[in-house]
Amino acid sequence: MAKLADALPLEGTFQYGESTIPYRITCSERLAARIRVHIHPDATIEIECPPDTIKPQIDLVIARRARWIWRNLSEVREGRQHVRPREFVSGETHFYLGRRHQLKVIPESSSASSVRLTRGSLEVRLPVNDPSAVRRRLNAWYRHRADVYLSERLRIICADLPWIARVPPMILLKMRKQWGNCSPDGRLTLNPALIKAPRPCIDYVLKHELCHLNEHNHSPRFYSLLDRCAPNWRAEKAELDQLAELLLADT
Ligand SMILES: [Zn+2]
């Protein structure tokens, strides 16, 4: 990170309609001329600029892009609302394979319970309408779906990777910060919350771990292997990183 030009403040605000929007300024030597506006997942705004930028240039960029900034900031803020702990009541949205589904809790007269995925909604039928019971039932369903889907993808992906002679054993384990890992003796541990992520992101995690069966490190050789079997992995990883907070809540 480069030093800020002396005349530049570290932060500022601008007005958009009724709202006062704060931002921070950072300096980067890698930017030759352009000033960049970043809206971060935590709903903060960063203005990244070349070291010789003066404040009026920043004001001009903000004035030109105010609408864009506002729109994107609103989207990020809206997305963050869903990071609040879920209550497991009807009307909330829950993820499955990257899509949001609306939860419908339906009282069931018999003692049987079930979870059904229909277009756009997740129906949970239970004899008791108790949010903690809904949560347990739903998480059991996610885990079952994760087991089925991940084993199937693993089998399909392994068939295409020449260094894999047989599909490695897989276990599901709730983890707070990791999507998966590969033990030195070649067993995969996967986070059942992966089933909430978009399909390409799931494949990226599987391919990353499967590359570790050949390269047990993050060396350049590992990444060239990953580049070959998952050419889009950077975009898939970026998407997954953005969603992580949302997908790992309530698991
Ligand atoms: Zn790794």
Side-chain angles (χ1 to χ4, degrees):
M1 174 131 346
K3 241 189 91 190
L4 271 181
D6 287 342
L8 268 186
L10 289 170
E11 49 201 27
T13 59
F14 71 97
Q15 205 63 30
Y16 187 78
E18 304 274 280
S19 313
T20 305
I21 300 170
Y23 59 84
R24 63 178 186 277
I25 302 173
T26 57
C27 228
S28 165
E29 259 149 17
R30 73 188 172 85
L31 297 180
R34 290 193 52 202
I35 294 174
R36 292 194 179 188
V37 181
H38 306 280
I39 319 275
H40 291 290
D42 62 353
T44 59
I45 299 170
E46 177 190 355
I47 312 288
E48 196 189 9
C49 57
D52 56 355
T53 309
I54 55 170
K55 184 69 166 44
Q57 290 174 300
I58 291 179
D59 294 342
L60 186 66
V61 167
I62 288 174
R64 281 190 185 142
R65 304 194 66 187
R67 216 177 102 84
W68 177 89
I69 295 172
W70 173 250
R71 217 182 42 228
N72 282 277
L73 186 64
S74 307
E75 263 173 36
V76 170
R77 282 179 176 161
E78 221 170 87
R80 278 180 64 78
Q81 286 184 2
H82 296 282
V83 180
R84 286 178 312 189
R86 288 199 176 69
E87 289 165 34
F88 295 88
V89 292
S90 289
E92 280 178 339
T93 57
H94 290 253
F95 281 91
Y96 180 71
L97 291 174
R99 296 228 173 99
R100 288 177 195 272
H101 294 270
Q102 199 172 68
L103 181 64
K104 283 187 191 162
V105 180
I106 301 165
E108 174 69 56
S109 47
S110 75
S111 63
S113 69
S114 65
V115 179
R116 207 161 68 101
L117 189 70
T118 61
R119 272 216 311 220
S121 70
L122 251 173
E123 288 180 6
V124 179
R125 290 172 191 269
L126 276 179
V128 283
N129 191 354
D130 164 21
S132 64
V134 175
R135 179 197 183 111
R136 280 196 304 275
R137 188 63 185 84
L138 197 56
N139 280 340
W141 179 81
Y142 273 129
R143 200 182 174 89
H144 173 69
R145 293 303 314 157
D147 195 21
V148 172
Y149 184 81
L150 297 174
S151 320
E152 173 72 358
R153 288 308 300 161
L154 203 57
R155 198 176 57 73
I156 290 168
I157 292 169
C158 283
D160 276 341
L161 304 179
W163 63 90
I164 293 176
R166 61 176 185 90
V167 180
M170 169 198 96
I171 60 159
L172 294 177
L173 182 69
K174 241 163 63 169
M175 294 179 277
R176 285 170 62 83
K177 306 236 173 227
Q178 263 190 312
W179 291 114
N181 66 59
C182 178
S183 71
D185 62 350
R187 275 172 306 146
L188 301 191
T189 303
L190 298 171
N191 196 325
L194 263 180
I195 195 66
K196 300 180 182 182
R199 294 169 197 266
C201 300
I202 299 176
D203 282 5
Y204 150 69
V205 171
L206 296 178
K207 287 173 183 174
H208 180 115
E209 300 311 334
L210 291 169
C211 284
H212 280 315
L213 292 177
N214 205 26
E215 292 289 334
H216 292 277
N217 47 46
H218 291 125
S219 63
R221 282 217 308 267
F222 168 84
Y223 284 109
S224 77
L225 196 62
L226 185 59
D227 278 334
R228 262 178 285 149
C229 69
N232 269 329
W233 74 265
R234 285 177 183 80
E236 288 146 10
K237 178 180 187 302
E239 187 178 5
L240 192 57
D241 287 347
Q242 271 226 321
L243 287 168
E245 197 184 354
L246 214 50
L247 302 184
L248 291 170
D250 317 307
T251 55

